[in-house]
Amino acid sequence: MLELRDITAGYDRGAPVVRGVSLTLAPGEAVGLLGPSGCGKSTLARVAALLHRPDAGTVVLDGTPARGWRHRAPREQRTAFGVLFQQPRLSADPRLRLADAIAEPLRATGRKDQIPTRLRELAPLVGLGDDLLARRPHEVSDGQLQRACLARALVLRPRWLICDEMTAMLDASTTAALVAVVESYRRESGAGVLAVGHDRTLLERWCDRTVGWAELGAATGMPDVA
Amino acid sequence: MTAHRTPDPRPAPNPAPTTGTPPEGTDEEPGAATAPPRLAVRGLTVRFRMPGGRSVAAVTDADFDLAPGECLVLVGESGCGKSVLASALLGLLPGNAEATGTALLTDAHGATELLAAPETELARSVRGRRIGLIPQSPAAHLTPVRTVRSQLEETVRELTGVRRGAGLRAAAERAAARAAFPAGHLDRHPHQLSGGLAQRAATALALAGDAPLLLADEPTTGLDRDLVDRTVDELRRHAEAGRALLMITHDLAAAERIADRVAVMYAGRIVELADARRFFGTPGPRHPYARGLLDALPGRAFTPIPGMPPELGDLPAGCAFAARCDRATMTCATLPAPRDGVACHHPVPPEREPDRARTA
Ligand code: SF4
């Protein structure tokens, strides 16, 4: 289980963008979190992925409360997550070839020996051939880069995938292709998925259940500054 | 050649005056039945010269007309050439690009061939005045050191003649409101705005100029569905007042909401140009790529088109969609010429629903 209990978070203690929000994901479950931009749902997604320390509340990962955040999180908790963001260009290291970007989490966790195998498995899954794998981010399209980011998010076989507006920049076909990859991974691995977005049609098609931001308790935020 | 004339298969951008019934108005009245289209694009082609003598075929042979009051939406995935087409119309291509063909802009100021017009003319009297632009990256379009209000007031002052005082202030606030830009944020600087608000500020600036042709390049990026709807509805109203709107987007829902006609771009070519109601409704698109794109929508089959588009620097000799197309035959190794708005050797027939079964 991934449990978010009574989370309050933000960037200014006086004005949290998430206030008292609770949400639970079962293994193998895909939950859509629907809300307008600026409402704080991305902040909640970052808390769920242990990338942002909440001001109050607890994240409980399979019964164990999270105690550290970002690089301070214990490795087995940190690597339980794969994370995808809206803008692949902001999350991909511009110097790395796509193959190296995908393999980077393996290298960082001392599993270099698995790199060739995992690349052989993942590259066809996300539709990247050798030619694209050898390129750097500025030499590929947004859609191709997001495919690489998805492969990187899956490379450590995470138990939880957090997708924050993963497809907002992408055309319909690339969107359908990437969601299909996430879904086949979910089926085969039993991982849980939290899909954050503002497209109701997409989330309802993709997820087992979709919750609106306003239903999540005393949610707050700044819907006016989308 | 003496008396015999070969008819041009393509409609001429500037029809010769008819000899029978005289046109209704004697002066050039935009919107009159005999008026030329606001924008007539013929054979528009853009090539980028790359290091090593390579060439990238960003746009090839684009043909379309856009009438006053009409909204044409150009759809396609990122990198298909649609933004390059917009840049070509505005004379904003980088130095290594070469544009050929013609793009004739006709409005109350006269007729200007945009590809041949000198940069001085484009800068002085076309961009912002005769063609309003809602840019893809609004941050780059806003002046960082000035507030949104001061930029809006300057645009209103320069382009509409409202000089100063309460009238100017009110005109700027009206422009902001039309783009759903909150009045409480008018005194902010661009860096104090979120992406969505910067987008709305850029839209407000473009609407304030009241140009007869509006070019909107992904105007809804980063906006929620509600705001997408509000923005495109406002653009639609703007067009209905007699201006022409060319919108470029990857958002098919936004396109469906606003378009009179849809142009689908694939690998630098317009592969289908169709009436929007027929395209999104029945009988649906006729080009296999356009069909695939609609089938990929989460409200429809949610099935991706297999594979990825070819590189614009390495296009096949025949149909660029052949490698992904379930209707491809040997014929498709030659380039399909557009017929009835569809560039395909085996378009889906308009009168019957195709066999939707897939082998996957
Ligand atoms: S020309 Fe042939 S390959 Fe191209 S879209 Fe039509 S059927 Fe498919």
Side-chain angles (χ1 to χ4, degrees):
Chain A
M1 297 282 261
L2 172 60
E3 296 165 80
L4 300 165
R5 291 186 193 158
D6 214 10
I7 301 289
T8 293
Y11 304 89
D12 170 356
R13 275 197 174 254
V17 292
V18 177
R19 194 174 291 172
V21 168
S22 299
L23 182 67
T24 301
L25 261 82
E29 184 185 34
V31 175
L33 176 54
L34 183 70
S37 45
C39 74
K41 63 189 192 300
S42 290
T43 306
L44 188 68
R46 296 180 65 85
V47 171
L50 309 187
L51 292 174
H52 184 93
R53 172 196 282 279
D55 300 336
T58 333
V59 178
V60 183
L61 194 54
D62 298 318
T64 312
R67 291 220 167 67
W69 310 88
R70 302 188 69 91
H71 57 278
R72 295 250 179 80
R75 177 187 283 183
E76 73 279 3
Q77 286 198 342
R78 215 182 335 136
T79 56
F81 290 96
V83 191
L84 279 141
F85 299 104
Q86 172 171 356
Q87 301 217 23
R89 301 220 176 261
L90 300 183
S91 46
D93 184 334
R95 296 161 305 180
L96 291 186
R97 295 175 195 283
L98 299 195
D100 296 325
I102 295 169
E104 194 270 331
L106 288 170
R107 210 165 265 129
T109 52
R111 298 175 224 187
K112 253 169 87 177
D113 51 315
Q114 296 180 22
I115 291 175
T117 328
R118 288 301 279 148
L119 268 179
R120 253 199 321 279
E121 290 164 359
L122 286 169
L125 202 66
V126 296
L128 293 176
D130 288 346
D131 169 43
L132 287 167
L133 287 173
R135 297 200 203 168
R136 294 193 167 81
H138 72 273
E139 297 166 313
V140 301
S141 70
D142 286 347
Q144 289 163 340
L145 192 54
Q146 193 67 304
R147 288 168 188 267
C149 288
L150 176 53
R152 182 183 57 188
L154 296 179
V155 78
L156 295 180
R157 303 181 206 276
R159 293 204 306 281
W160 308 98
L161 260 180
I162 312 290
C163 306
D164 183 8
E165 297 276 17
M166 171 181 85
T167 63
M169 313 268 289
L170 305 178
D171 65 278
S173 178
T174 309
T175 296
L178 292 195
V179 171
V181 172
V182 169
E183 285 304 280
S184 77
Y185 176 73
R186 176 162 81 104
R187 268 195 311 276
E188 153 238 312
S189 69
V193 173
L194 178 63
V196 174
H198 64 258
D199 185 338
R200 175 181 293 276
T201 320
L202 173 66
L203 292 183
E204 286 180 347
R205 182 68 182 254
W206 173 358
C207 300
D208 301 320
R209 63 186 170 103
T210 298
V211 285
W213 182 248
E215 301 157 37
L216 281 183
T220 163
M222 312 171 289
D224 204 25
V225 291
Chain B
M1 296 279 270
T2 47
H4 185 75
R5 271 216 225 157
T6 324
D8 189 337
R10 296 194 296 209
N14 221 341
T18 43
T19 44
T21 40
E24 272 173 35
T26 38
D27 47 6
E28 277 197 30
E29 220 184 283
T34 51
R38 175 72 27 95
L39 178 67
V41 173
R42 291 292 175 275
L44 176 57
T45 298
V46 181
R47 295 285 174 269
F48 288 98
R49 287 181 305 276
M50 303 305 277
R54 284 191 316 120
S55 157
V56 170
V59 178
T60 303
D61 243 345
D63 279 2
F64 61 88
D65 284 347
L66 181 57
E70 186 187 33
C71 172
L72 174 66
V73 178
L74 190 57
V75 300
E77 52 208 280
S78 80
C80 75
K82 55 195 197 307
S83 288
V84 174
L85 191 150
S87 303
L89 295 176
L90 291 160
L92 293 176
L93 290 171
N96 66 330
E98 192 183 308
T100 53
T102 59
L104 191 67
L105 171 69
T106 309
D107 56 22
H109 302 270
T112 303
E113 207 281 272
L114 296 168
L115 300 187
E119 168 57 25
T120 46
E121 184 186 350
L122 294 174
R124 196 185 56 237
S125 63
V126 175
R127 290 197 293 265
R129 291 171 189 269
R130 297 174 63 195
I131 307 182
L133 173 68
I134 301 177
Q136 190 167 19
S137 41
H141 209 67
L142 300 166
T143 312
V145 295
R146 293 172 50 208
T147 65
V148 175
R149 183 190 303 280
S150 102
Q151 296 184 54
L152 265 174
E153 289 187 350
E154 182 191 310
T155 305
V156 171
R157 191 179 320 123
E158 268 190 19
L159 301 178
T160 68
V162 180
R163 286 277 148 235
R164 60 186 69 239
L168 182 62
R169 197 179 164 87
E173 287 178 359
R174 269 198 309 277
R178 284 166 64 194
F181 186 91
H185 290 63
L186 275 171
D187 293 310
R188 298 201 175 179
H189 289 84
H191 71 268
Q192 296 170 306
L193 303 176
S194 67
L197 272 186
Q199 183 66 60
R200 283 184 263 166
T203 303
L205 273 176
L207 294 179
D210 234 354
L213 171 62
L214 195 59
L215 225 159
D217 189 1
E218 301 279 6
T220 58
T221 304
L223 302 184
D224 302 321
R225 191 50 58 192
D226 289 352
L227 271 173
V228 168
D229 291 352
R230 271 166 80 183
T231 304
V232 299
D233 289 352
E234 185 53 43
L235 294 177
R236 172 86 239 176
R237 271 195 291 284
H238 199 70
E240 269 160 13
R243 303 167 195 97
L245 172 64
L246 177 60
M247 181 167 105
I248 291 170
T249 188
H250 70 273
D251 182 341
L252 293 167
E256 177 168 10
R257 194 172 174 96
I258 189 177
D260 295 308
R261 281 188 305 148
V262 187
V264 182
M265 204 157 184
Y266 185 74
R269 287 179 187 269
I270 294 178
V271 295
E272 180 158 2
L273 184 60
D275 173 77
R277 248 183 321 161
R278 291 172 59 81
F279 185 86
F280 288 109
T282 349
R286 300 192 53 209
H287 192 283
Y289 171 68
R291 281 226 160 226
L293 209 51
L294 286 197
D295 274 349
L297 285 172
R300 302 195 185 207
F302 206 33
T303 315
I305 303 168
M308 278 192 276
E311 302 284 325
L312 294 174
D314 189 21
L315 291 176
C319 174
F321 189 60
R324 309 171 73 183
C325 182
D326 57 6
R327 299 172 74 85
T329 63
M330 300 294 282
T331 326
C332 304
T334 61
L335 201 63
R339 236 181 311 131
D340 302 332
V342 188
C344 172
H345 290 297
H346 314 294
V348 178
E351 57 279 344
R352 73 176 177 86
E353 272 300 291
D355 177 12
R356 311 300 301 135
R358 281 179 186 267
T359 43

